[in-house]
Amino acid sequence: MNRKWVSIVRFCVTGAINTGIDLTVFTVLTLSSMPYLAAQGAAFVCGLLNSYFMNRTWTFGRRGRSRPAEWMKFCALNLLIFSMSTALLVWLHEYRQLPMPVSKLGAMGAGMIVNYLGSRFWVFATSGPANLIQRSESA
């Protein structure tokens, strides 16, 4: 299996773990009468922390100390994903009248696609356009 597919499979495994963390925290908090938007924020942060460490080291093979610029990119990407997925969650649940679990899964699915592309090509990418082309060709 080539490196591109290995990173996609690893990203999916990491995503499954993050999804489990996110859904567990979200479910526990909403069942404890926390408003769903507050639960969304708390669940997202828990998944975010796990995502950074697993994706950095295992999925994309970054070694050594984390650089502040990398962490800032990761946070910026995930702020975008959080905003997008929360807006989608509200739209699906409030305006489309879909059940909460369906709305949550739809929002998470859209976020996963944006997360993989942003992580692979921006946050954990080798710097420079030439390296991106070389990396794409070898993957």
Side-chain angles (χ1 to χ4, degrees):
M1 192 180 313
N2 68 32
R3 286 190 325 206
K4 179 174 94 175
W5 288 108
V6 169
S7 76
I8 290 172
V9 168
R10 286 181 176 185
F11 184 83
C12 289
V13 170
T14 299
I17 293 168
N18 295 338
T19 298
I21 291 169
D22 188 315
L23 283 174
T24 300
V25 172
F26 183 81
T27 301
V28 167
L29 294 176
T30 55
L31 290 176
S32 300
S33 301
M34 179 180 275
Y36 78 91
L37 291 177
Q40 167 77 349
F44 191 85
V45 168
C46 291
L48 171 95
L49 293 172
N50 184 68
S51 177
Y52 178 74
F53 292 110
M54 282 191 74
N55 279 321
R56 182 179 195 281
T57 58
W58 188 56
T59 305
F60 299 108
R62 299 291 287 208
R63 301 290 181 241
R65 289 185 61 184
S66 169
R67 289 173 290 156
E70 181 182 84
W71 174 247
M72 295 299 287
K73 285 181 182 180
F74 184 82
C75 288
L77 173 64
N78 280 277
L79 181 60
L80 169 70
I81 294 164
F82 176 74
S83 300
M84 179 196 77
S85 63
T86 300
L88 188 55
L89 176 68
V90 169
W91 181 74
L92 291 171
H93 184 64
E94 299 287 334
Y95 298 101
R96 301 296 298 166
Q97 302 294 309
L98 294 175
M100 182 56 71
V102 173
S103 301
K104 177 68 175 163
L105 289 173
M108 288 174 65
M112 285 172 48
I113 293 167
V114 174
N115 192 357
Y116 179 77
L117 295 172
S119 293
R120 183 165 194 267
F121 295 111
W122 186 50
V123 176
F124 300 114
T126 306
S127 60
N131 288 333
L132 283 177
I133 293 168
Q134 179 183 20
R135 195 171 170 174
S136 294
E137 290 172 352
S138 65

